[in-house]
Amino acid sequence: MAIVKPFKAIRPNETLASKVAALPYDVMNSEEARDMVKDNPYSFLHVDKAEVDLDSSIDIYDKKVYGKARENLDNMIKEGTFIQDEKPCLYVYRQIMDGRVQTGLVVCASIDDYMTDVIKKHEHTRAEKEQDRINHVDYCDANTGPIFLTYRDNEEISTSIKHWADNHKPVYDFTSDDGISHIVWVVDDEVTVNRLCFLFGEVDYLYIADGHHRAASAVKVGKKRREEKKDYDGKEEFNYFLSVIFADEDLYVMDYNRVVKDLNGNSTEEFFNKVKEKFNVEEHGIEGKQFSPCEKRTFGMFLDGKWYKLSAKDGIFDENDPVDRLDVSILQNNLLHPILGIEDPRKDKRIDFIGGIRGLNELERRCKEDMKIAFSMYATTIDDLMDIADAGRVMPPKSTWFEPKLRSGLFIHRLS
């Protein structure tokens, strides 16, 4: 059963929340982050990507970067950019994008639940990316970016959260530059807090939707603190990590599309002949008439200015295998690898991945500039994600793209 607890959030002064809130550190590079903070001294990127305040030649994994993150965080607290709640609370975080609403509960989740698979994963993590966030959390003595969790919808939980939001005034209500609304309520009533914690205690599993590296890093920092404090009793804040939990029915997964540099030495005719062995191929139209799949097992393909519809033939995947039947697996196992030579999409520089938020025009643009061929995907579903996590398996890389992105800086969880 899942353990969640309230905490004394360090959060923005109400007048500065819109300026503090920032996209997650891992959705932009350092150059882009420098541009984002240029006219905004309050941006949380000064903490999450502190290299923006150091010379551009610095290695982003240099210890000076983590030291600068702690310095910036301490200064922002000292100067009143952030305040801290006086007692442990929960927080309701609502986002509205294009009229679609997702409402989550901000909590601290248990590192023990992570280690015992009450919190389930669906991705492998990379050691260097883990170490980056381990250093960041350890230096800052805080979880600065929330882990995005989900659960199979529970009507009592959803009703309780909605009731609180409907009957209380939010502390933050702003729209970010990308048009997404962000609304936050503080749940400071002890009865309501205890009720929500109890209800989550009846939830069998939580699932990481996004933030596997942040979660793994938070857990490793917690374990490190336990080794340093031999008499820990499990109540210390380092035994928990910052999370936002959404019901699965609230979430929206977008397509995660692919572009490839070349045809791997094949002529266009050779390429099509090989593709037709595993897929039915139908020309969709001339340039400008795009194809976005509207059902599983279908793919769009853009090549030489034309869009094609690919449909997977029967027998090329195992319907009973939750990983093999994913569209991303079908494309990888039957086209990208055997025909285009993309053996390891994590490492191969001939392939790139484009989140659906950027649209199919971006696929066409890349094919005109630096790529040869593009594939539009049908989005992986939340049920797919949960089925794979339940089976103890992992998804292929770049399987899911969640929108909207949680903002960092709205909630900070101190570890001591």
Side-chain angles (χ1 to χ4, degrees):
M1 303 301 179
I3 298 171
V4 304
K5 68 180 286 291
F7 66 107
K8 300 177 182 178
I10 297 172
R11 54 187 182 83
N13 180 309
E14 289 187 28
T15 62
L16 296 175
S18 63
K19 295 180 178 180
V20 169
L23 286 166
Y25 75 97
D26 54 356
V27 301
M28 83 284 291
N29 60 35
S30 297
E31 183 180 350
E32 290 168 330
R34 289 177 191 277
D35 188 60
M36 290 177 182
V37 306
K38 191 163 45 181
D39 300 314
N40 184 5
Y42 302 105
S43 171
F44 199 67
L45 291 176
H46 290 287
V47 176
D48 250 4
K49 289 186 75 68
E51 69 268 19
V52 300
D53 294 319
L54 298 171
D55 189 87
S56 59
S57 64
I58 196 165
D59 186 323
I60 62 172
Y61 302 131
D62 192 299
K63 290 184 178 179
K64 292 178 182 177
V65 175
Y66 307 113
K68 188 64 175 177
R70 176 59 185 262
E71 177 188 333
N72 287 345
L73 177 59
D74 288 347
N75 286 339
M76 292 171 87
I77 293 172
K78 182 180 178 181
E79 294 165 0
T81 301
F82 289 103
I83 60 172
Q84 184 170 23
D85 288 313
E86 295 180 356
K87 66 178 184 178
C89 302
L90 299 174
Y91 305 85
V92 176
Y93 181 16
R94 176 172 292 165
Q95 296 174 296
I96 305 173
M97 175 181 171
D98 297 331
R100 189 182 56 79
V101 180
Q102 64 181 36
T103 304
L105 192 69
V106 185
V107 306
C108 277
S110 165
I111 68 171
D112 291 296
D113 280 356
Y114 179 96
M115 291 187 283
T116 59
D117 282 334
V118 172
I119 297 175
K120 295 195 172 191
K121 309 91 180 165
H122 67 267
E123 280 185 12
H124 288 310
T125 55
R126 291 165 50 190
E128 69 272 17
K129 292 185 70 175
E130 273 192 34
Q131 191 58 53
D132 170 50
R133 287 301 102 176
I134 288 171
N135 290 339
H136 193 275
V137 171
D138 216 9
Y139 271 71
C140 290
D141 189 35
N143 304 134
T144 58
I147 285 77
F148 188 166
L149 301 178
T150 187
Y151 63 100
R152 299 190 188 278
D153 192 22
N154 176 299
E155 187 175 350
E156 283 190 88
I157 293 175
S158 298
T159 299
S160 297
I161 292 173
K162 184 177 185 303
H163 183 267
W164 184 270
D166 287 347
N167 291 278
H168 294 82
K169 182 181 178 181
V171 291
Y172 310 136
D173 188 348
F174 64 91
T175 301
S176 49
D177 291 341
D178 53 7
I180 297 169
S181 298
H182 303 267
I183 312 169
V184 173
W185 293 261
V186 177
V187 184
D188 55 4
D189 173 67
E190 188 172 346
V191 173
T192 304
V193 167
N194 290 340
R195 172 67 175 163
L196 285 166
C197 291
F198 171 79
L199 289 173
F200 271 105
E202 296 186 325
V203 171
D204 290 331
Y205 300 107
L206 300 175
Y207 299 80
I208 298 178
D210 199 11
H212 282 78
H213 287 91
R214 274 168 283 164
S217 302
V219 171
K220 288 185 176 179
V221 171
K223 291 170 69 176
K224 176 175 177 285
R225 299 286 177 96
R226 286 180 173 184
E227 292 172 1
E228 295 168 350
K229 183 179 172 64
K230 299 297 184 183
D231 60 343
Y232 78 92
D233 61 14
K235 296 179 181 178
E236 298 87 355
E237 292 299 322
F238 58 70
N239 294 289
Y240 301 89
F241 57 88
L242 177 64
S243 303
V244 187
I245 315 177
F246 294 88
D248 59 344
E249 292 186 355
D250 263 16
L251 299 184
Y252 178 49
V253 189
M254 298 190 76
D255 44 306
Y256 213 159
N257 302 311
R258 278 91 167 114
V259 288
V260 180
K261 191 81 173 175
D262 54 60
L263 296 185
N264 194 32
N266 293 290
S267 68
T268 301
E269 182 179 359
E270 289 170 336
F271 171 74
F272 271 103
N273 287 337
K274 291 178 181 179
V275 170
K276 288 176 182 178
E277 293 177 8
K278 299 293 183 68
F279 298 87
N280 296 313
V281 181
E282 175 186 348
E283 186 173 332
H284 188 62
I286 60 174
E287 185 175 5
K289 189 176 182 182
Q290 300 168 332
F291 180 74
S292 179
C294 58
E295 60 182 341
K296 290 185 176 184
R297 322 296 186 243
T298 60
F299 310 83
M301 183 174 75
F302 184 70
L303 176 63
D304 295 339
K306 292 183 179 180
W307 280 94
Y308 299 84
K309 175 184 176 181
L310 307 185
S311 303
K313 292 184 177 181
D314 293 339
I316 69 170
F317 61 92
D318 183 352
E319 184 65 56
N320 295 314
D321 187 311
V323 177
D324 198 56
R325 68 185 182 220
L326 287 176
D327 280 8
V328 291
S329 296
I330 293 170
L331 188 70
Q332 174 62 31
N333 297 338
N334 296 280
L335 197 160
L336 296 180
H337 180 198
I339 302 176
L340 295 181
I342 307 295
E343 182 175 356
D344 186 348
R346 290 182 180 86
K347 299 178 180 178
D348 199 314
K349 298 186 185 305
R350 293 171 51 239
I351 189 170
D352 199 4
F353 304 88
I354 299 173
I357 191 70
R358 304 186 72 174
L360 299 187
N361 287 337
E362 178 66 9
L363 301 186
E364 293 188 2
R365 185 190 71 81
R366 290 294 300 274
C367 285
K368 292 173 183 175
E369 291 189 0
D370 64 333
M371 294 290 179
K372 174 66 175 178
I373 188 169
F375 299 92
S376 58
M377 310 292 296
Y378 184 74
T380 302
T381 68
I382 290 292
D383 284 339
D384 289 331
L385 183 155
M386 290 180 166
D387 287 345
I388 289 170
D390 285 339
R393 306 280 296 281
V394 296
M395 283 187 164
K398 311 298 185 182
S399 294
T400 55
W401 182 279
F402 286 93
E403 286 290 347
K405 301 295 183 188
L406 303 182
R407 286 332 193 242
S408 294
L410 294 178
F411 316 95
I412 300 168
H413 168 235
R414 266 300 187 211
L415 301 187
S416 60

